[in-house]
Amino acid sequence: MFGQPCSTLSYWRRLVHGGLLGVLATALTPRVTPAVDSVHTVDSGGFVGEYTSVVLDSQGFPVVSYFDRTNGDLKLAHCNDANCAGNDESLVTVDSAGNVGWYTSVVLDSQGFPVVSYFDLTNGDLKLAHCNDANCAGNDESIQAVDTTGFVGG
């Protein structure tokens, strides 16, 4: 277990002129304290990282959904290592139709593909994005409004 994260969280850090998405991976060694923390900025391109949700893939690598306030988009980061180190993670815009991506929640389907629920502020709808690959690459994901009655999901 040494060196392997046993606790991973995503967070948003407000900066004076924007924000960033960060990932904290905590590795605990057996019977040894304190924990060894690894903190990495995953995306700092504008005012990004609000309303994060994180899940670990089958290899223990973080998959993070979050809101890009600069562009009003739903984004997804899929790290290529357990600590999101190296500044070469997969960062994609999943949905950019309006002001979308608020209050995200991510899980993985049986194939390990991300499924993200989120709020579409433009239409007041609860939406669901189901990726057709592990990184949501290709701009051809399944995106649908799952509840459109009133102002829902926010």
Side-chain angles (χ1 to χ4, degrees):
M1 176 164 214
F2 180 75
Q4 295 297 319
C6 62
S7 176
T8 301
L9 60 94
S10 60
Y11 65 93
W12 174 70
R13 179 176 175 205
R14 183 175 175 86
L15 303 174
V16 174
H17 297 290
L20 58 85
L21 170 69
V23 172
L24 168 68
T26 302
L28 300 177
T29 57
R31 299 187 183 107
V32 177
T33 54
V36 178
D37 294 330
S38 171
V39 179
H40 295 280
T41 299
V42 177
D43 189 351
S44 60
F47 205 91
V48 297
E50 287 182 281
Y51 310 118
T52 69
S53 178
V54 65
V55 65
L56 300 180
D57 70 12
S58 63
Q59 296 178 304
F61 300 169
V63 178
V64 185
S65 60
Y66 58 100
F67 178 57
D68 173 351
R69 184 177 292 275
T70 299
N71 298 299
D73 296 341
L74 170 66
K75 290 186 78 174
L76 186 98
H78 192 165
C79 299
N80 58 14
D81 60 77
N83 295 319
C84 297
N87 297 319
D88 56 353
E89 315 314 322
S90 169
L91 304 175
V92 297
T93 298
V94 179
D95 189 354
S96 61
N99 193 348
V100 296
W102 295 64
Y103 314 115
T104 72
S105 182
V106 64
V107 297
L108 301 179
D109 70 10
S110 62
Q111 295 178 292
F113 300 166
V115 179
V116 185
S117 67
Y118 56 100
F119 180 59
D120 173 347
L121 181 65
T122 301
N123 298 300
D125 296 340
L126 174 63
K127 291 178 81 175
L128 187 74
H130 193 163
C131 301
N132 58 15
D133 61 77
N135 292 326
C136 289
N139 295 320
D140 57 353
E141 314 314 320
S142 169
I143 297 174
Q144 59 185 338
V146 294
D147 192 345
T148 60
T149 306
F151 197 76
V152 296

